Amino acid sequence: MKKEMILVTGGTGYIGSHTVVELQNAGYQVVIVDNLSNSNVDVLDGIERITGTRPEFVEADCTDIVAMRGLFDKYPDIKGIINFAASKAVGESMQKPLLYYRNNLNTLMNLLELMGERGVKGIVFSSSCTVYGEPDCNPVTEEAPIKKATSPYGNTKQISEEIITDVINAGAPFKSVILRYFNPVGAHPSAEIGELPNGVPQNLIPYLTQTAIGVRKELSVFGNDYNTRDGYCIRDFIDVVDLARAHVIAVERMLEDKSDEKIEIFNLGTGNGLSVMELIEAFERATGVKVPYKIAPRRAGDIEQVWADPKYANEVLGWTASTPIDDTMRSAWAWQLKLRERGIM
Ligand SMILES: NC(=O)c1ccc[n+]([C@@H]2O[C@H](COP(=O)([O-])OP(=O)(O)OC[C@H]3O[C@@H](n4cnc5c(N)ncnc54)[C@H](O)[C@@H]3O)[C@@H](O)[C@H]2O)c1
């Protein structure tokens, strides 16, 4: 029997598409809404090739409340929402703060308003470890203080968490699970879907694989004089499929009322910090492919080191990020090779 219908905003994007696959594999019906500002509609073909099911798709902008009302009229059975739709480039958010505040906050506020009207039971929200800023100590638990955001993008995540909390504390009849992602990397092992931002990648791995295949000349590694074990920034790189699986558990938790809490917050990471250079080495070791890189000056706003304490998610959700980094690097490379084979990149 099919499970409930879930609306996935931003579902043709990187993390969204992997999550749609896991939702469909778990038996959920999925409606995607995406304005394709940072993704391509062909992603639906990849999802269908993996799962055998083509998700429902509505091309619309979540900031457009009229379009969103129309979507809920068409799919009145939506019981849960996963909200991935957002603009996410830190640097761009410094140049265009209003675009970020408008897109990320109006999207969320429209969804919260419609959830109340349409009897939706819960919303999973994509937050980020950026809320912790430069943490006082690592690994970071959910109790770590929220630091003043260093970019409008980061600020939208902090404000979004506050908006959700205020709306639910004011008595809204739904629940929320806020997931703070560390650094998602890799692709689906089938190489049918992966990370393919429109334009020049702002994230490390697509830039790295595009450099390795010759689309870009060299990868810039920003700063080698940080106060870390090898001088490079340290992050918690989490496999995107592991990350996607956590969303299915979060949805189930809300829809099946497995917790008495109306709002829950979880860190999603591996618990291991890897430096940017260690990640490049892992890629080269796993694939046998060399990555041309240069050391560039530090980039303003970059955090020196941050990695998760995922114990709370491990214990409460029964979830762990278990994919070895070498497998993740191989999946990222297989995806890049598939893009080349298809003449896309
Ligand atoms: N990738 C990361 O490193 C990372 C880390 C922490 C948090 N996040 C958050 O996770 C979420 C998903 O990130 P991603 O990496 O998959 O990004 P992505 O850009 O690949 O996916 C976002 C999708 O949302 C769509 N979108 C944007 N604004 C929209 C709007 N107004 N209406 C409809 N669709 C819209 C885009 O076209 C895109 O398909 C975002 O909220 C992001 O901030 C990402």
Side-chain angles (χ1 to χ4, degrees):
M1 204 189 74
K2 279 276 176 201
K3 292 188 185 163
E4 291 95 334
M5 183 174 277
I6 310 297
L7 174 65
V8 180
T9 77
T12 46
Y14 173 44
I15 307 169
S17 56
H18 290 80
T19 301
V20 170
V21 164
E22 297 306 315
L23 283 169
Q24 293 196 157
N25 282 344
Y28 287 98
Q29 304 169 66
V30 175
V31 181
I32 292 176
V33 58
D34 203 298
N35 64 2
L36 304 178
S37 57
N38 198 35
S39 56
N40 192 294
V41 74
D42 297 344
V43 168
L44 299 174
D45 299 334
I47 294 172
E48 188 175 0
R49 279 194 291 268
I50 299 170
T51 64
T53 306
R54 196 171 185 83
E56 295 291 313
F57 175 70
V58 177
E59 183 177 342
D61 195 310
C62 298
T63 63
D64 178 349
I65 188 95
V66 176
M68 293 304 288
R69 282 225 161 78
L71 185 152
F72 276 91
D73 289 342
K74 186 168 177 202
Y75 300 101
D77 294 333
I78 291 169
K79 287 287 173 284
I81 296 178
I82 307 182
N83 180 29
F84 293 106
S87 303
K88 64 161 188 179
V90 172
E92 187 190 44
S93 80
M94 307 278 215
Q95 312 300 322
K96 302 174 182 168
L98 279 180
L99 185 150
Y100 276 67
Y101 287 116
R102 194 172 284 130
N103 197 35
N104 297 3
L105 301 182
N106 286 350
T107 288
L108 176 67
M109 290 190 291
N110 281 350
L111 294 172
L112 295 174
E113 187 161 336
L114 288 163
M115 287 175 74
E117 289 173 15
R118 308 291 173 127
V120 180
K121 290 181 75 175
I123 180 164
V124 178
F125 180 73
S126 303
S127 191
S128 164
C129 66
T130 54
V131 301
Y132 300 119
E134 185 76 66
D136 301 329
C137 59
N138 279 295
V140 180
T141 71
E142 291 81 358
E143 309 302 321
I146 302 295
K147 296 277 178 71
K148 185 173 163 38
T150 53
S151 71
Y153 166 72
N155 208 17
T156 68
K157 294 298 176 194
Q158 296 192 4
I159 298 170
S160 294
E161 290 195 4
E162 288 172 359
I163 292 175
I164 293 170
T165 307
D166 288 345
V167 170
I168 291 185
N169 286 343
F174 48 79
K175 291 184 168 183
S176 181
V177 175
I178 293 172
L179 300 177
R180 292 179 179 155
Y181 312 155
F182 281 67
N183 289 74
V185 286
H188 195 270
S190 65
E192 292 291 355
I193 53 172
E195 188 170 11
L196 181 60
N198 293 340
V200 179
Q202 302 292 317
N203 280 6
L204 177 59
I205 284 296
Y207 206 105
L208 184 156
T209 58
Q210 289 181 18
T211 305
I213 210 160
V215 175
R216 318 231 165 250
K217 194 164 145 270
E218 57 191 358
L219 175 70
S220 294
V221 177
F222 298 108
N224 61 353
D225 56 353
Y226 283 101
N227 186 22
T228 56
R229 55 179 172 262
D230 62 2
Y232 299 97
C233 287
I234 294 182
R235 295 287 179 273
D236 186 336
F237 297 102
I238 171 174
D239 189 276
V240 68
V241 176
D242 286 337
L243 184 66
R245 283 192 300 107
H247 292 76
V248 180
I249 298 170
V251 161
E252 236 167 56
R253 199 170 165 78
M254 293 185 314
L255 299 195
E256 294 176 15
D257 278 323
K258 288 188 174 169
S259 161
D260 293 336
E261 303 294 327
K262 296 199 86 181
I263 308 170
E264 293 185 293
I265 299 181
F266 297 97
N267 281 346
L268 297 182
T270 65
N272 296 314
L274 213 60
S275 82
V276 171
M277 193 51 68
E278 287 166 340
L279 187 76
I280 295 173
E281 284 162 9
F283 177 85
E284 293 185 339
R285 181 176 64 234
T287 63
V289 177
K290 285 272 164 222
V291 183
Y293 68 83
K294 67 167 186 209
I295 306 300
R298 289 183 182 199
R299 201 169 47 172
D302 271 348
I303 301 300
E304 182 169 272
Q305 46 190 326
V306 59
W307 66 95
D309 182 338
K311 265 197 218 81
Y312 188 57
N314 297 161
E315 287 169 15
V316 176
L317 299 179
W319 166 92
T320 43
S322 53
T323 308
I325 192 69
D326 285 25
D327 289 0
T328 303
M329 292 298 96
R330 274 190 284 274
S331 69
W333 184 234
W335 166 241
Q336 184 65 60
L337 291 174
K338 182 63 78 75
L339 291 172
R340 172 56 53 90
E341 188 185 304
R342 294 199 181 133
I344 296 170
M345 180 68 68

